[in-house]
């Protein structure tokens, strides 16, 4: 640690988040009282929180080898508190426990660290924590994790130093999958459709439909070149394929609800409102997953247009005119626009149909 920063080894489990890790290592030297680590589960925020906590608790500022560092990484250090929701959201009771924890003195280290997971599920209970964040007890550092910045979280976020965990770059995910034994071609396809999320990539490795979905999107230019009439049918096929992509997630959600229903039978109707909140959360996740699947498809399509030009030129197979290059780059431009519009446009079918129509016109 000649540079005075915590050991990089503490962040070994964080994949493809160099900027966030650099920010946390720098912050550990002279920490403020609260951090908000923002990014979907699977982007590395939780692993980074453990590494950061180790750096804050270690008597040597994060050596990476002492008992404190190892305990913090394993989540067993007595001065590291991990708070998770017990129901569908972070309840008022849970938030009160967090406030009480913050008043305690550290047992062994110079400070204590409280990690709160899924702060985006704090709903209207954020104010319970606000006062503690504004006038923090001297020895407590908060590490709050959130998938996204919800309106309920805005005030809390303004009291925290924020560190963003963006989607992990595609090539990083592909290399990571290969290193864990996934064949190279499969790793590339999964990385392509993962939306930059490692947890999702890990699930997708087992999904036989992934390769077919990528092939479908890659076939769009040829289908459109063959017949402009393919537009409607193609739109339908890519939308159906996005539906199938969400299916495994729907099944997992269904199982979760079933388990809760069983539990409610045993414990009484107290479980009912929680189930409603969970179902809403599931629906949001499924919508986002579906949009991500479509955007991943559009990414495949854009790359297909790009490689058609560069690939053909490299092979010397065809003499490319300026016009071909321009058409391909126009196509990529159109696709990028649609990918950006997709999350806020409720009519996916119309959006895709209009894109395919314009792409077909470019090919003509
Ligand atoms: Zn240490």
């Amino acid at each position: 640690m000649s540079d005075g920063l915590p050991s990089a080894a503490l962040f070994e489990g964080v994949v493809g988040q160099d900027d966030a890790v650099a920010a946390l290592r720098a912050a550990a030297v002279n920490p403020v009282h609260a951090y908000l680590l923002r990014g979907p589960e699977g982007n590395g925020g939780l692993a980074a929180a453990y590494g950061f906590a180790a750096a804050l608790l270690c008597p040597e500022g994060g050596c990476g080898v002492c008992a404190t560092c190892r305990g913090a990484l394993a989540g067993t250090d007595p001065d590291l508190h991990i708070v998770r929701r017990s129901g569908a959201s972070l309840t008022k009771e849970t938030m009160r426990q967090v406030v009480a924890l913050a008043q305690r003195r550290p047992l062994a280290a110079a400070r204590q660290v409280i990690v709160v997971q899924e702060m985006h599920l704090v709903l209207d209970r954020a104010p319970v924590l606000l006062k503690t964040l504004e006038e923090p007890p001297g020895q407590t550092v908060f590490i709050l994790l959130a998938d996204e910045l919800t309106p309920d979280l805005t005030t809390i976020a303004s009291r925290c130093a924020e560190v963003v965990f963006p989607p992990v770059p595609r090539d990083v995910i592909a290399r990571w999958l290969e290193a864990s034994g996934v064949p190279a071609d499969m790793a590339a396809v999964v990385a392509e459709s993962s939306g930059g999320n490692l947890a999702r990539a890990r699930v997708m490795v087992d999904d036989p439909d992934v390769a077919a979905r990528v092939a479908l999107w890659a076939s769009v230019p040829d289908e459109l070149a063959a017949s402009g009439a393919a537009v409607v049918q193609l739109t339908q096929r890519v939308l159906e394929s996005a539906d199938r992509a969400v299916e495994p997630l729907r099944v997992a959600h269904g199982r979760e609800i079933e388990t809760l229903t069983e539990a409610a039978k045993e414990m009484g109707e107290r479980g009912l409102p929680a189930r409603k909140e969970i179902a809403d959360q599931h629906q949001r996740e499924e919508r986002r997953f579906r949009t991500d699947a479509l955007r991943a498809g559009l990414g495949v399509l854009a790359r297909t247009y790009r490689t058609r030009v560069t690939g053909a030129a490299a092979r010397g197979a065809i003499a490319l005119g300026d016009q071909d290059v321009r058409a391909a780059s126009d196509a990529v431009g159109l696709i990028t626009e649609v990918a950006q519009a997709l999350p806020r446009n409720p009519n996916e079918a119309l959006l895709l149909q209009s894109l395919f129509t314009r792409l077909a016109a470019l090919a003509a």
Side-chain angles (χ1 to χ4, degrees), residues 19-95:
D19 290 349
V21 167
L24 289 174
R25 288 179 72 203
V29 178
N30 188 14
V32 296
H33 61 279
Y35 293 84
L36 179 68
L37 276 45
R38 176 162 64 83
E41 206 186 324
N43 282 16
L46 183 58
Y50 280 100
F52 188 42
L56 296 176
L57 294 174
C58 168
E60 308 214 26
C63 66
V65 291
C66 74
T68 304
C69 280
R70 280 180 285 123
L73 286 178
T76 56
D77 188 276
D79 287 317
L80 171 59
H81 307 280
I82 311 284
V83 180
R84 303 179 183 87
R85 64 187 163 104
S86 51
S89 59
L90 288 159
T91 59
K92 192 170 264 179
E93 183 56 32
T94 303
M95 295 321 288

Side-chain angles (χ1 to χ4, degrees), residues 65-333:
V65 291
C66 74
T68 304
C69 280
R70 280 180 285 123
L73 286 178
T76 56
D77 188 276
D79 287 317
L80 171 59
H81 307 280
I82 311 284
V83 180
R84 303 179 183 87
R85 64 187 163 104
S86 51
S89 59
L90 288 159
T91 59
K92 192 170 264 179
E93 183 56 32
T94 303
M95 295 321 288
R96 286 198 183 118
Q97 282 165 6
V98 171
V99 171
L101 267 178
Q103 312 304 324
R104 299 213 312 218
R105 289 171 163 280
L107 293 170
R111 52 174 80 100
Q112 64 172 355
V113 175
I114 302 178
V115 176
V116 186
Q117 289 183 237
E118 296 188 285
M119 275 299 289
H120 55 281
L121 296 177
V122 72
L123 309 183
D124 61 350
R125 295 120 209 181
V128 179
L129 189 59
L130 204 54
K131 197 161 173 298
T132 307
L133 279 181
E134 278 167 347
E135 298 165 26
Q139 294 145 317
T140 298
V141 175
F142 284 99
I143 306 175
L144 310 177
L145 296 165
D147 278 15
E148 56 193 343
L149 201 56
T150 61
D152 290 320
L153 211 49
T154 318
T155 317
I156 281 194
S158 71
R159 309 294 191 274
C160 299
E162 202 174 328
V163 180
V164 180
F165 287 74
V168 181
R170 257 196 331 272
D171 54 326
V172 174
I173 293 191
R175 279 201 302 276
W176 176 76
L177 288 171
E178 280 184 60
S180 64
V182 177
D185 51 347
M186 182 68 176
V189 168
V190 166
E192 188 78 68
S193 327
S194 63
N197 188 302
L198 285 176
R200 188 176 304 165
R202 210 180 279 130
V203 171
M204 285 174 49
V205 165
D206 298 323
D207 176 4
D209 203 42
V210 172
R213 200 156 61 242
V214 172
L216 170 62
W217 279 97
S219 77
V220 166
D222 285 337
E223 302 257 352
L224 290 177
S227 156
V231 166
V232 174
Q233 198 228 356
L234 261 178
T235 303
Q236 200 183 337
R237 281 170 64 199
V238 297
L239 286 175
E240 281 167 6
S241 124
D243 282 339
R244 280 197 301 278
V246 185
E247 199 47 38
L249 188 63
R250 277 200 201 104
V251 171
H253 283 164
R255 256 188 245 122
E256 196 180 321
I257 295 282
E258 245 172 60
T259 311
L260 284 169
T261 308
E262 286 303 311
K265 269 185 204 156
E266 280 172 30
M267 302 182 332
E269 290 305 307
R270 276 191 317 171
L272 281 176
R275 282 212 307 267
K276 165 83 175 92
E277 282 173 37
I278 289 188
D280 290 348
Q281 170 72 15
H282 284 172
Q283 233 173 35
R284 281 195 296 274
E285 280 174 29
E286 285 162 20
R287 262 201 305 275
R288 195 165 59 189
F289 197 99
R290 190 188 145 86
T291 304
D292 283 350
L294 287 172
R295 294 181 70 173
L298 289 167
V300 173
L301 183 56
R303 263 183 300 285
T304 308
Y305 275 105
R306 257 187 234 118
T307 25
R308 282 159 80 88
V309 172
T310 53
R315 283 195 313 274
I318 49 169
L320 283 169
D322 286 349
Q323 212 180 338
D324 302 303
V325 178
R326 210 179 308 122
S329 102
D330 285 353
V332 171

